[in-house]
Amino acid sequence: MNFCSECGHPTQHQVPADDNRPRHVCTHCHTIHYENPKIICGCLVTYQDKVLLCKRAIEPRSGLWTLPAGFMENGETTGEGALRETWEEAFARPKLGELYALTSIPYISQVYLIYRAELETPEFASGPESLDVQLFAADEIPWEQLAFQTVTKTLQHWVEDQKSGHYPLHSIELEERIQARV
Ligand code: ZN
């Protein structure tokens, strides 16, 4: 941020009094512009023993497969955001289940919340941000063509949990970029 969103004057990156890290501080009205992590919510949608994946039509990672998920909007719950993103990207209206994967990605300041969600009928279609939407059995998942490391980790848990039929909440922390994937 180079200019203050309150008054339009330039900001400086400095540590405010009584703080311990640099912030964008307005040189004119002295407003401190805090920046905090972004929340991304989405669904691990299943139909029978298959999982719904979307092939991204947009950058980053266009052409690779992901779970339907996106930035939470103001004024909605995380579950509502997860279902909204699932509709926007996959035109699917599953029944929302429990929170399944919570991923912290501190190096890009993002938090992912992925809920389990179940389709009663296999009705879905590509939304504007998807090239394709398909159901995959555990042994059909395109591991080499997944868009994000958090998606890979979440699907690894799902494949493992499918064997026991128990789906506890998984807390995932991504410490570093692996294979240049986020
Ligand atoms: Zn200002």
Side-chain angles (χ1 to χ4, degrees):
M1 171 181 277
N2 295 321
F3 295 96
C4 178
S5 57
E6 296 292 319
C7 73
H9 284 78
T11 60
Q12 273 187 346
H13 205 224
Q14 63 186 60
V15 180
D18 302 323
D19 204 339
N20 56 16
R21 63 187 68 205
R23 317 280 186 185
H24 294 283
V25 181
C26 180
T27 55
H28 181 71
C29 74
H30 309 299
T31 296
I32 303 169
H33 297 276
Y34 294 96
E35 292 178 291
N36 298 99
K38 292 220 175 350
I39 295 173
I40 292 152
C41 35
C43 288
L44 191 153
V45 179
T46 51
Y47 175 71
Q48 296 176 348
D49 62 347
K50 297 189 173 186
V51 62
L52 190 76
L53 298 180
C54 302
K55 194 175 200 177
R56 290 172 63 82
I58 55 170
E59 294 297 338
R61 318 293 159 77
S62 180
L64 299 178
W65 295 88
T66 190
L67 298 168
F71 291 111
M72 188 181 181
E73 298 285 3
N74 292 339
E76 67 184 5
T77 66
T78 51
E80 288 168 350
L83 289 176
R84 177 183 51 72
E85 289 290 340
T86 300
W87 174 254
E88 290 175 2
E89 296 183 8
F91 291 127
R93 291 210 185 279
K95 184 171 181 292
L96 191 69
E98 297 293 317
L99 181 62
Y100 182 58
L102 192 166
T103 306
S104 291
I105 316 179
Y107 56 84
I108 52 172
S109 299
Q110 293 182 348
V111 176
Y112 270 71
L113 296 174
I114 301 294
Y115 287 80
R116 293 183 65 220
E118 200 164 345
L119 284 173
E120 288 184 0
T121 55
E123 290 177 56
F124 51 84
S126 301
E129 295 182 2
S130 303
L131 293 170
D132 194 7
V133 178
Q134 282 187 37
L135 290 166
F136 294 86
D139 60 0
E140 298 169 339
I141 292 171
W143 296 106
E144 299 305 315
Q145 294 164 50
L146 296 178
F148 303 107
Q149 194 190 342
T150 179
V151 173
T152 303
K153 295 264 186 193
T154 302
L155 287 172
Q156 284 171 344
H157 284 301
W158 177 73
V159 168
E160 198 57 36
D161 290 346
Q162 223 184 13
K163 296 170 185 169
S164 65
H166 295 291
Y167 299 88
L169 172 65
H170 296 281
S171 183
I172 302 165
E173 293 182 12
L174 300 185
E175 300 288 345
E176 56 189 330
R177 289 172 171 78
I178 296 175
Q179 296 173 348
R181 292 181 186 177
V182 171

